[in-house]
Amino acid sequence: MSDSRSKTLPPRHRTRPVTVGGVVIGGAAPVAVQSMTNTDTAAAEATAAQVEALARAGSELVRITVNSEDAARAVPRIRDRLAQRGLHTPLIGDFHFNGHQLLAKYPECAEALAKYRINPGNVGRDERFSAMIETACRHRKAVRIGVNWGSMDQGLSARLMDENARAAEPLDGRAMIHEIMVRSALDSAQRAEELGLSADRIILSCKMSGVQDLIAVYRRLAERCDYALHLGLTEAGLGSKGIVASTAALAVLLQQGIGDTIRISLTPEPGAARTGEVVVAQEILQALELRSFTPQVVACPGCGRTSSDYFQRLAQEVQDYLRARMPQWRARYPGVEAMSVAVMGCVVNGPGESRHANIGISLPGSGENPSAPVYEDGHKTATLKGAQIGDEFKAMLERYVARKYGAD
C-alpha cells in the first residue's frame, strides 16, 4: 500500500522500511496505527480478546506487556488464539528489566512476537541489552528502541551533562534533556547494529509527555538519522486532555513528514473501551489526509435555528452505523473509506454542505418546512419526511455505497 500523503503537504521524511509481521513501517509505507493492551498478559484469553478488539477497530500492530514468566509463557497461546479467529496482527513484546532473561528462557515467546520493545534507560547498553539484541538477530525480529524521558539512561545523562558544562556555549536544561534523549536512541541503535541487527530492523522512539518537548526531540532525531520513527506522547492523559495533547504534537510532526507509526497513549476513562485510542489515531491521520479509514460525517455544531437535538442524534447514529458497516464494506467496496457524509441541521448551510458531500441530508431547523432533502454527488435525489427519516437515510447510504463503490 503506498503513502496517500496529500500533495499539499511537505515531502515525507524518508526512513528505512522495517517489516514487522506483515506490516511495513517506514519507507513509502502509510503511517501505521498501533495500540497496547492493558490486560495481564498471563491471562491469555482476556489478552487475546482485547487484542482482537483493538485489531478489529483498526490497530495494525498491538503491544503487550511481557514482564513475568507467566506472561512469557502466555504469548504463544495468545498468538494461536488470534490465528484461530483469523487474525494475524503482529504482536509486540514490551520488555524492561528482565526481558533478556525471559527471551532466553522462553524461545517460543521470542519466536511468537513480531517485534521487541526495549527501553535503554531501564535495560542499559550492557550484557542485558546485548542479549536481547542477539535474540532479535537469531529470530530475525525487529526491535523498537524506545527512550522515555521518565527513565533516561543515568550514565549517559551524567556524561553528557558534564560535557555540556565544559562547553563554550552550553545548552540550557531543556535542550540538554532533548539531546540526551536523542543521543540515547542513536547510541543504542549504533550498538544494536554493532551486535548484528541490521538498520532495517530498527525503529526508534523518544517519548516525552510535553507537546513542545516531543516536537523538538523528533525534529532533532529526524535530522540525524534515517531509522523508522514511532511517534507518541507518553502518558498523554485522560479524555479530552489526552486527545488534544496527542493531536497537537503528532499533527505538527506528521505535517512535516516526520513519523512512520503512531500510538495514542490515552488513559481510558472507567468503563470505556480500550479501542478509543485506535479511533483517535485513525482520525488524526484522516484529518491530515494521510490515510482514510472510515467515511467521515460532517455535521453542524448547532445554533438557535436547531432547537431540536434530532440532527445531533442522527449524526451520531450515522457515524456509529458507518463504523459498524466498515468491516463488510471494506472487503466489498474498495475506496468507500474516503466517502464523505453530511448530516446538517437547518437550511442555512445544510443544502450546500450536503451537495459537497458524497451523500448528505439537510434536516429541518426551527420553523422550517418539516422535510429533509437528500443529496447524492451534488444532486437532490429524495426528500424524506416523518418518523423514519434515520432508517430511510441509512437505507439510502447502503444503496449509494453499493452503486458508487461496487464492482462494475
Side-chain angles (χ1 to χ4, degrees):
M1 185 187 299
S2 62
D3 188 1
S4 58
R5 190 173 185 82
S6 171
K7 293 180 180 179
T8 63
L9 296 175
R12 177 97 168 262
H13 169 61
R14 287 296 175 180
T15 56
R16 297 172 186 258
V18 180
T19 300
V20 181
V23 177
V24 178
I25 295 173
V31 178
V33 172
Q34 56 183 283
S35 57
M36 185 174 184
T37 59
N38 62 355
T39 54
D40 179 358
T41 304
E45 181 52 42
T47 301
Q50 191 171 85
V51 172
E52 180 179 7
L54 291 165
R56 297 202 186 282
S59 185
E60 292 156 311
L61 308 99
V62 178
R63 182 157 46 112
I64 59 177
T65 299
V66 187
N67 60 341
S68 68
E69 293 195 17
D70 287 342
R73 281 192 293 265
V75 170
R77 300 200 302 272
I78 294 166
R79 178 204 56 193
D80 293 344
R81 280 172 166 81
L82 292 168
Q84 290 166 4
R85 299 167 194 176
L87 290 171
H88 301 279
T89 304
L91 297 177
I92 302 164
D94 192 63
F95 294 100
H96 287 284
F97 307 99
N98 60 348
H100 60 299
Q101 297 171 332
L102 296 174
L103 287 169
K105 187 171 183 178
Y106 297 98
E108 63 276 15
C109 169
E111 181 57 37
L113 294 167
K115 184 175 75 173
Y116 311 152
R117 189 269 190 173
I118 304 174
N119 181 346
N122 291 331
V123 175
R125 279 189 295 277
D126 57 14
E127 63 274 7
R128 292 182 296 174
F129 180 85
S130 299
M132 295 181 77
I133 295 299
E134 288 164 0
T135 300
C137 293
R138 188 163 56 253
H139 291 278
R140 301 182 64 81
K141 303 296 181 178
V143 170
R144 171 160 72 94
I145 296 172
V147 181
N148 191 306
W149 86 304
S151 52
M152 292 191 293
D153 184 324
Q154 295 304 309
L156 177 66
S157 298
R159 178 165 59 83
L160 293 183
M161 288 288 191
D162 288 343
E163 291 177 4
N164 187 58
R166 296 191 297 270
E169 297 182 9
L171 298 174
D172 63 32
R174 193 171 186 180
M176 196 62 222
I177 289 175
H178 299 167
E179 179 62 18
I180 293 169
M181 294 281 289
V182 171
R183 282 284 298 275
S184 179
L186 294 178
D187 288 359
S188 296
Q190 180 180 350
R191 178 59 181 150
E193 288 199 63
E194 291 170 354
L195 291 166
L197 189 67
S198 60
D200 61 0
R201 289 202 185 116
I202 297 174
I203 298 170
L204 299 186
S205 68
C206 289
K207 288 196 170 184
M208 311 284 285
S209 61
V211 170
Q212 294 296 344
D213 291 315
L214 191 83
I215 293 169
V217 163
Y218 273 93
R219 282 174 172 166
R220 190 180 295 225
L221 188 59
E223 288 173 353
R224 290 160 64 175
C225 77
D226 63 355
Y227 295 112
L229 300 180
H230 169 111
L231 299 187
L233 281 174
T234 185
E235 301 142 3
L238 184 72
S240 60
K241 184 269 180 187
I243 294 172
V244 170
S246 294
T247 304
L250 269 59
V252 170
L253 291 167
L254 291 166
Q255 177 79 8
Q256 295 173 352
I258 298 170
D260 301 296
T261 181
I262 64 172
R263 190 246 168 151
I264 308 301
S265 300
L266 296 180
T267 303
E269 296 182 3
R274 188 71 170 176
T275 54
E277 67 177 50
V278 179
V279 174
V280 173
Q282 290 178 330
E283 290 184 347
I284 290 172
L285 294 175
Q286 191 146 343
L288 290 170
E289 300 181 17
L290 294 176
R291 295 187 65 182
S292 294
F293 297 95
T294 301
Q296 297 295 291
V297 174
V298 176
C300 61
C303 66
R305 286 179 168 272
T306 56
S307 56
S308 168
D309 67 353
Y310 181 66
F311 85 94
Q312 298 163 302
R313 290 186 284 112
L314 181 59
Q316 184 62 60
E317 184 180 333
V318 169
Q319 184 71 77
D320 291 344
Y321 182 79
L322 294 170
R323 287 195 176 279
R325 294 293 289 137
M326 273 308 293
Q328 292 77 32
W329 283 356
R330 187 179 293 111
R332 295 181 60 189
Y333 304 121
V336 68
E337 64 275 3
M339 180 176 69
S340 60
V341 180
V343 179
M344 303 301 292
C346 78
V347 75
V348 174
N349 291 321
E353 288 285 0
S354 297
R355 288 191 185 96
H356 289 311
N358 289 113
I359 179 171
I361 185 170
S362 180
L363 296 166
S366 303
E368 295 177 11
N369 184 36
S371 62
V374 176
Y375 298 84
E376 299 178 21
D377 295 325
H379 303 287
K380 182 178 176 181
T381 57
T383 299
L384 306 182
K385 298 179 180 181
Q388 303 303 315
I389 285 178
D391 290 339
E392 293 176 14
F393 183 62
K394 284 184 286 186
M396 293 186 70
L397 272 170
E398 286 285 351
R399 292 193 294 271
Y400 179 85
V401 168
R403 183 175 66 252
K404 180 83 172 180
Y405 301 98
D408 293 334

